[in-house]
Amino acid sequence: MIGQDERAVEAVLFAAEQPLTLAEIGAAAGEGVDVAAALAALVQSYAPRGIHPVERGGRWHFETAPDLAHILRRTREEPRKLSRAGIETLAIIAYHEPVSRAEIEAIRGVQISKGTIDVLMEAGWVRPAGRREVPGRPLIYATTAGFLSHFGLGSRRDLPGIDDLRAAGLLDPVDDMLFNVEVESAGDEA
Amino acid sequence: MIGQDERAVEAVLFAAEQPLTLAEIGAAAGEGVDVAAALAALVQSYAPRGIHPVERGGRWHFETAPDLAHILRRTREEPRKLSRAGIETLAIIAYHEPVSRAEIEAIRGVQISKGTIDVLMEAGWVRPAGRREVPGRPLIYATTAGFLSHFGLGSRRDLPGIDDLRAAGLLDPVDDMLFNVEVESAGDEA
Amino acid sequence: MDAEDTLTIDIDGWEGPLDLLLTLARSQKVDLRELSILALVEQYLAFITDARALKLEIAADYLVMAAWLAYLKSGLLLPRDPEVEPDPAELALRLQLRLQRLDAMREAGARLMARDRIGRDVFLRGAPEGLRVIRKPAWQAELYDLIAAYGAVTARNVPVMHVVSRRPVMTLEAALQRVEAMLGHALDWTALERFLPATADPSLTRSSRASSFLAMLELAKQGRVELRQDAAFATLWVRAA
């Protein structure tokens, strides 16, 4: 039996043009609706169906089941194709956020061209997230809720392998200054 | 148990940007999918839900359940005071109903802007009451039951007559009124 | 090495020395944590030497890296000199960590791109109705406002109708009749004003004066009255002829 709360939440999510927070769903569905319980019930009742309610970064929306991609894809354009630099930069921001441009460059070992971060911001996946309080006060970048939705991540904890990488110390704050200094001084000698 | 055909058809309908014909659904869902049977199954399985697949003129789409329309279109009431043109027009309709727009203008001595009667209809106080059988067959307007209840009147006969108005001094300040009329008619045209 | 030829040709394809180092490290086909830094350094230096032999343009940062790696190599091969800071073994470890980091991010990027992505693998609702908040004006008016407004409209119209329908004038015909009738009674010179109807309305007075004057001129033309005026703007006298 489908409860009235469930029906209301399902209709709200269905009609919404944007993913909605619990509070937004509650505001639309009306007073006294137990949104969390209704969502849990919906997730269960839609599990076998061709469309599902999903949570991405604290916001909910309906999307089609991934296994049906083949029938839906043919009429659609491929989403934005990123350059290799773009993909790596996005991964670095996602796994290290917030991170400055210099820190991204330290990990990649090369300068990133001016447009790379712009492309990621234009896609709605990356946003400026303030400045690092170090000399020069560089801008730092972080990912957005749109990034989580696009890549089907409930939260940053769902980033593939993030726990292993952290345990291996590969996500520690980037400090390659010494290495770079050495390179330069070695270069001077050469 | 939800069949694979049903899942495919539901995902296709969900992702479509416009309502689809059976043939279009079939083309998207793939070879060998019994679209009509899948739609029939979907109609049944969604019947108790907050969203339904529906057919309109041979095309299918998902719609939110009609009984949930109120949560999708939330109206927020904002108190607004009627303009002077609005209240005068309403008064003329109330005293002279049924009355045409031209007659209202003749009585007011000032043209009424297009929106004035619309506002009164939106407020639920005035309704079209047929046409006057004269050349041009102009629409005539009358007040509603909502008008009577808003103003606390048992019937239109409860409106004070001209003699009552005179006794109450409401017909006296002619010069002031004339002055105000000049100002207001300028405003009406704007 | 087999890879060397392609590497040489593709020199422009590398995203910097670290990228090249990582590719070379991968060719060792071991876990990056087990990587032989010394072997990697040898590979890199050999690659740069080959490229130079082929007179390929080599960007400065590749040469800088080569110099640094040559320095690292000598540090690793020579007996440990405690005076040298930092320890070459530690530098080697740091290089290894850098390669691991870049490799990890590269792999993470590939895994991200392979996820079920919106618009490619999963799809959002094509035509959402949207949740709309409609601002509906709640029109307000009081009964007093209504009645007062009707009073205002009515009051505005009353004087207008009064002026139009009852404008006080005396027509020429009325004046002729009145003057002819009165002449029967007044035999001597009589002032024009005496023929006018008694009224407090100054506009009716003006109208009847003008009409009566015209009526007298008409009667004088017909030879039925005589007119006399002693001076300009003086009283106009009339008597039957």
Side-chain angles (χ1 to χ4, degrees):
Chain A
M1 192 50 211
I2 289 143
Q4 205 50 35
D5 284 8
E6 220 178 307
R7 295 181 74 239
V9 169
E10 143 186 273
V12 166
L13 275 190
F14 220 71
E17 279 151 342
Q18 308 281 341
L20 301 179
T21 62
L22 289 188
E24 287 164 344
I25 297 169
E31 294 277 312
V33 171
D34 185 344
V35 177
L39 283 169
L42 285 174
V43 165
Q44 200 166 25
S45 63
Y46 273 95
R49 306 208 76 104
I51 53 180
H52 308 312
V54 293
E55 185 190 5
R56 304 286 182 244
R59 293 167 187 275
W60 287 81
H61 68 262
F62 265 102
E63 63 182 32
T64 57
D67 67 297
L68 297 171
H70 62 286
I71 64 167
L72 298 165
R73 193 180 291 159
R74 69 179 78 149
T75 55
R76 306 266 174 162
E77 289 173 16
E78 276 279 306
R80 179 184 303 274
K81 188 128 178 76
L82 278 186
S83 68
R84 191 171 125 182
I87 294 169
E88 283 183 23
T89 302
L90 179 62
I92 292 166
I93 295 173
Y95 282 77
H96 290 81
E97 76 177 47
V99 67
S100 72
R101 186 188 184 96
E103 289 156 357
I104 298 167
E105 291 177 342
I107 295 170
R108 295 197 65 228
V110 276
Q111 291 208 327
I112 52 178
S113 71
K114 198 170 160 357
T116 305
I117 293 179
D118 288 352
V119 164
L120 298 175
M121 291 207 282
E122 197 190 309
W125 296 338
V126 162
R127 63 186 165 86
R131 291 180 180 277
R132 174 113 41 238
E133 290 303 335
V134 296
R137 302 187 71 242
L139 263 180
I140 48 180
Y141 298 92
T143 53
T144 63
F147 164 80
L148 294 175
S149 318
H150 182 89
F151 290 98
L153 299 162
S155 74
R156 279 189 62 243
R157 282 191 303 277
D158 294 341
L159 283 168
I162 191 167
D163 292 337
D164 295 340
L165 292 176
R166 185 172 291 123
L170 293 174
L171 300 182
D172 292 346
V174 186
D175 176 23
D176 276 304
M177 291 303 281
L178 190 59
F179 178 82
N180 289 331
V181 167
E182 291 299 322
V183 170
E184 276 163 35
S185 64
D188 284 348
E189 284 158 28
Chain B
M1 192 53 208
I2 289 144
Q4 204 52 35
D5 284 7
E6 221 179 307
R7 293 182 76 238
V9 169
E10 133 188 281
V12 165
L13 273 191
F14 170 86
E17 275 153 12
Q18 52 222 351
L20 300 178
T21 62
L22 288 186
E24 287 164 344
I25 299 168
E31 294 279 310
V33 170
D34 184 344
V35 176
L39 282 169
L42 283 174
V43 166
Q44 198 165 25
S45 64
Y46 273 97
R49 305 210 75 102
I51 52 179
H52 308 313
V54 291
E55 185 193 359
R56 300 265 184 269
R59 291 170 181 276
W60 287 80
H61 70 272
F62 267 106
E63 245 179 37
T64 48
D67 66 303
L68 296 172
H70 63 283
I71 65 172
L72 305 177
R73 262 150 238 246
R74 288 158 45 73
T75 40
R76 195 162 67 204
E77 297 217 322
E78 290 176 342
R80 292 262 296 274
K81 230 171 154 45
L82 264 194
S83 69
R84 186 174 161 132
I87 193 97
E88 284 189 10
T89 303
L90 180 63
I92 292 166
I93 294 173
Y95 275 89
H96 296 265
E97 75 176 47
V99 66
S100 73
R101 185 198 179 95
E103 289 158 359
I104 296 168
E105 290 178 342
I107 295 168
R108 268 196 87 209
V110 187
Q111 285 210 330
I112 53 177
S113 69
K114 191 169 165 359
T116 305
I117 293 178
D118 290 349
V119 162
L120 297 175
M121 293 207 280
E122 184 189 270
W125 295 336
V126 161
R127 62 186 165 85
R131 291 180 180 277
R132 171 103 54 232
E133 289 304 334
V134 296
R137 302 190 69 244
L139 264 178
I140 49 180
Y141 299 93
T143 53
T144 63
F147 164 80
L148 293 176
S149 67
H150 180 92
F151 290 98
L153 298 166
S155 78
R156 280 183 55 244
R157 282 192 303 276
D158 293 351
L159 284 169
I162 293 294
D163 291 340
D164 300 321
L165 295 180
R166 185 171 291 119
L170 289 168
L171 295 182
D172 290 341
V174 175
D175 291 342
D176 279 359
M177 283 299 170
L178 281 172
F179 177 72
N180 288 338
V181 166
E182 295 301 323
V183 170
E184 189 236 318
S185 65
D188 265 5
E189 282 154 30
Chain C
M1 294 181 70
D2 288 344
E4 275 184 19
D5 292 337
T6 48
L7 293 183
T8 308
I9 293 158
D10 289 345
I11 183 106
D12 288 337
W14 305 116
E15 284 203 75
L18 202 63
D19 185 19
L20 173 53
L21 269 171
L22 182 57
T23 309
L24 293 170
R26 281 264 179 79
S27 72
Q28 288 190 17
K29 293 195 168 55
V30 292
D31 189 319
L32 287 180
R33 282 168 296 184
E34 320 270 309
L35 188 67
S36 162
I37 290 294
L38 211 51
L40 179 65
V41 170
E42 293 288 3
Q43 280 175 284
Y44 186 92
L45 294 176
F47 176 83
I48 295 297
T49 310
D50 286 356
R52 281 180 139 166
L54 289 167
K55 301 203 185 332
L56 291 176
E57 287 277 331
I58 300 173
D61 51 344
Y62 289 82
L63 298 176
V64 169
M65 179 63 89
W68 187 82
L69 290 175
Y71 164 79
L72 177 63
K73 178 184 162 186
S74 62
L76 289 170
L77 291 176
L78 294 172
R80 169 89 177 103
D81 177 355
E83 297 299 304
V84 175
E85 280 295 339
D87 180 0
E90 195 194 317
L91 286 181
L93 216 70
R94 203 170 287 175
L95 174 60
Q96 192 176 4
L97 190 65
R98 274 201 79 165
L99 292 172
Q100 274 179 270
R101 273 176 183 271
L102 178 58
D103 189 57
M105 286 302 104
R106 228 161 241 189
E107 198 172 309
R111 285 165 78 178
L112 263 186
M113 293 302 132
R115 289 188 63 83
D116 290 329
R117 291 166 61 188
I118 287 176
R120 187 186 69 174
D121 307 290
V122 298
F123 296 84
L124 303 179
R125 181 134 187 244
E129 297 93 335
L131 294 168
R132 291 186 205 95
V133 174
I134 297 161
R135 290 191 174 72
K136 184 183 175 196
W139 293 104
Q140 291 184 329
E142 299 302 320
L143 184 59
Y144 174 78
D145 299 333
L146 184 78
I147 295 164
Y150 191 69
V153 170
T154 310
R156 191 196 302 160
N157 288 335
V158 166
V160 172
M161 307 205 18
H162 175 74
V163 168
V164 170
S165 59
R166 297 172 59 196
R167 193 166 156 230
V169 291
M170 178 181 275
T171 62
L172 180 55
E173 280 137 30
L176 271 172
Q177 279 179 8
R178 187 179 174 88
V179 171
E180 279 180 320
M182 288 178 77
L183 274 175
H185 305 287
L187 300 175
D188 203 358
W189 291 103
T190 309
L192 182 143
E193 278 70 23
R194 294 287 304 280
F195 292 84
L196 303 186
T199 174
D201 186 339
S203 65
L204 182 59
T205 305
R206 280 165 62 102
S207 172
S208 54
R209 186 197 301 273
S211 300
S212 301
F213 176 59
L214 280 174
M216 286 169 187
L217 288 178
E218 181 61 31
L219 293 171
K221 200 172 110 188
Q222 293 174 12
R224 296 169 60 190
V225 297
E226 283 182 273
L227 296 173
R228 176 168 69 87
Q229 191 175 31
D230 298 336
F233 301 109
T235 303
L236 194 64
W237 298 97
V238 60
R239 72 172 180 192

